[in-house]
Amino acid sequence: MIREIRLRRAHIELVSPFRTSFGVETARELLYLEVHGDGITGWGECVAMSEPMYSSEFVDGCEAMLRRFLLPLVTPTTTAEQFTEVARQFRGHYMAKAVLETALLDHQLRAQGVSLGTFLGATKARVPSGVSVGIQPTIDDLLRVVQGYLDDGYLRIKLKIEPGFDVEPVRAVRRAFGDELLLQVDANSAYAISDAEHLAQLDQFNLLLIEQPLPEEQVASHADLARVVRTPICLDESILSVEVAREALDIGACSIINIKPGRVGGYLEAKKIHDLCYERGVAVWCGGMLETGIGRAANLALAAMPGFTLPGDTSASARYFHRDVTTPFVLRDGHLDVPTGPGIGCDPDLAYLDSITSRVDTVLIAG
Ligand code: NPQ
Ligand code: MG
């Protein structure tokens, strides 16, 4: 039985500023949910940023959505599946829904002694790790940063790009590190369909994919772009549900999908997108939102499913944090181990988590 849910706000510094086409991040604003009952704690980590730069969601907005609309849906016996069904009455707010669904799912799986990986149908014990490289001040800086990640053992490099930092940086990385390097780019919606010919210049570099070149709402324009650019188009921000994924694939807007559970409302919807793509032979990979160990552990369970055939942004803890809130995830031969314990399979160091926590509020769950 669920007795109470705690909403915890915390703050953690990044090891280095992370620059994308939408801005520079130097720290992560955190929102965790803890589902308490029967002596078990289920954890969820919200992926929203402090400002609505990646998508329309932001962490204070998620907190408001949770307090006013989502937490009141939970009773002592609500399952993750039941919550997600009743939460459908509210439009959007995927990241707010995802954190609560995940905390409920972690709680019930821990009670059953089943790991999230087992629940999802994971088939791998470890997953290959890629890394997302921020926009750098100069190409020399970029080459140094990429070299460092390759020395760490990362198996795939993703370069963040924007107008003015695209063709030449990609050319330089390809030239410096060779044709064998698994290389892709992510524009975070920074281009327009009128940039199609410009983006086609990336075709010469044999990239795995171009991620989200155009705005989230312009799904059909991605299909137009895919007729001009030979490099596979991968959608991230646009894919908010399995229905959008199906339509995007049907019209040829993308041939690869980045699955982020937070962006699609949780792990249950993420599994549906995986299953759709697996059935159609469409490659998927697991994105990242600078999660601490709680969110990272859950993503690894997802990335261990059979359809995740490309390395994800599931990087080691040290990519983002000097000290993670869980036992750190470390690279071994370019891979991260999938946790095997019940639920997400790991717990935060509560003393450390408390030290970075600004506020904990408790919501009692009335029977
Ligand atoms: C992406 N992630 O694939 C995102 C974007 C992103 C690993 O590239 C704070 C919180 C900063 C979430 C910066 C990666 C972020 C963030 C970028 C997400 O598009
Ligand atoms: Mg992306």
Side-chain angles (χ1 to χ4, degrees), residues 62-77:
C62 288
E63 179 171 342
M65 184 66 199
L66 285 158
R67 286 181 181 283
R68 178 151 177 202
F69 298 108
L70 299 177
L71 288 167
L73 299 176
V74 180
T75 74
T77 59

Side-chain angles (χ1 to χ4, degrees), residues 18 20 22 25 28 47 49 54 132 158 160 186 188 211 236-237 258 260 288-290 313 320:
F18 186 39
T20 67
F22 56 75
E25 301 299 311
R28 192 83 179 79
V47 303
M49 300 174 60
Y54 161 83
S132 178
K158 163 169 136 180
K160 291 292 194 178
D186 185 358
N188 288 111
E211 183 178 346
D236 172 358
E237 287 90 327
N258 167 340
K260 288 176 180 169
M289 291 291 282
L290 285 57
D313 284 342
Y320 294 113

Side-chain angles (χ1 to χ4, degrees), residues 161-179:
I161 59 168
E162 65 182 1
F165 191 85
D166 44 31
V167 177
E168 292 316 316
V170 172
R171 187 194 311 281
V173 169
R174 191 46 104 199
R175 189 176 285 162
F177 302 105
D179 293 337

Side-chain angles (χ1 to χ4, degrees), residues 73-359:
L73 299 176
V74 180
T75 74
T77 59
T78 304
T79 65
E81 291 86 349
Q82 289 167 341
F83 163 72
T84 295
E85 275 313 306
V86 13
R88 280 186 201 286
Q89 66 190 289
F90 301 121
R91 309 278 167 186
H93 297 283
Y94 306 93
M95 295 176 181
K97 290 172 178 174
V99 61
L100 182 47
E101 183 205 83
T102 307
L104 290 166
L105 186 58
D106 186 38
H107 187 267
Q108 77 199 44
L109 291 177
R110 285 179 194 251
Q112 296 163 13
V114 174
S115 73
L116 181 60
T118 299
F119 170 81
L120 292 171
T123 52
K124 288 170 268 189
R126 53 178 216 157
V127 299
S129 203
V131 64
S132 178
V133 182
I135 293 167
Q136 303 295 320
T138 69
I139 288 180
D140 277 353
D141 291 310
L142 179 65
L143 296 178
R144 255 191 307 276
V145 172
V146 170
Q147 180 64 255
Y149 290 135
L150 294 175
D151 293 344
D152 292 340
Y154 284 103
L155 299 172
R156 183 228 67 188
I157 297 290
K158 163 169 136 180
L159 304 180
K160 291 292 194 178
I161 59 168
E162 65 182 1
F165 191 85
D166 44 31
V167 177
E168 292 316 316
V170 172
R171 187 194 311 281
V173 169
R174 191 46 104 199
R175 189 176 285 162
F177 302 105
D179 293 337
E180 297 304 297
L181 175 67
L182 299 181
L183 185 62
Q184 63 192 54
V185 295
D186 185 358
N188 288 111
S189 313
Y191 295 86
I193 187 62
S194 54
D195 296 317
E197 294 295 342
H198 176 74
L199 289 168
Q201 291 183 67
L202 293 170
D203 285 343
Q204 61 190 301
F205 305 120
N206 195 231
L207 301 176
L208 288 167
L209 57 90
I210 300 175
E211 183 178 346
Q212 196 71 42
L214 310 179
E216 175 182 323
E217 299 81 359
Q218 296 174 25
V219 177
S221 290
H222 283 92
D224 296 336
L225 182 66
R227 284 187 280 273
V228 178
V229 175
R230 272 186 302 105
T231 308
I233 304 295
C234 170
L235 289 177
D236 172 358
E237 287 90 327
S238 293
I239 304 297
L240 299 170
S241 66
V242 68
E243 290 82 10
V244 178
R246 186 177 291 112
E247 293 194 5
L249 292 170
D250 284 348
I251 68 168
C254 64
S255 52
I256 298 173
I257 290 178
N258 167 340
I259 302 183
K260 288 176 180 169
R263 192 195 64 226
V264 303
Y267 287 84
L268 301 177
E269 191 77 8
K271 178 176 161 50
K272 287 186 191 173
I273 298 173
H274 163 275
D275 294 350
L276 167 76
C277 292
Y278 193 58
E279 209 171 274
R280 296 190 178 198
V282 171
V284 302
W285 55 281
C286 183
M289 291 291 282
L290 285 57
E291 292 90 347
T292 65
I294 297 297
R296 198 161 293 276
N299 283 345
L300 288 168
L302 182 74
M305 295 175 75
F308 285 79
T309 53
L310 291 168
D313 284 342
T314 44
S315 304
S317 297
R319 158 67 183 86
Y320 294 113
F321 311 113
H322 291 292
R323 181 174 172 184
D324 205 339
V325 305
T326 61
T327 303
F329 287 95
V330 294
L331 278 188
R332 281 191 304 116
D333 299 328
H335 292 69
L336 295 181
D337 289 333
V338 179
T340 56
I344 65 169
C346 70
D347 294 289
D349 175 336
L350 277 180
Y352 175 61
L353 184 55
D354 284 342
S355 77
I356 62 168
T357 294
S358 53
R359 172 159 61 81

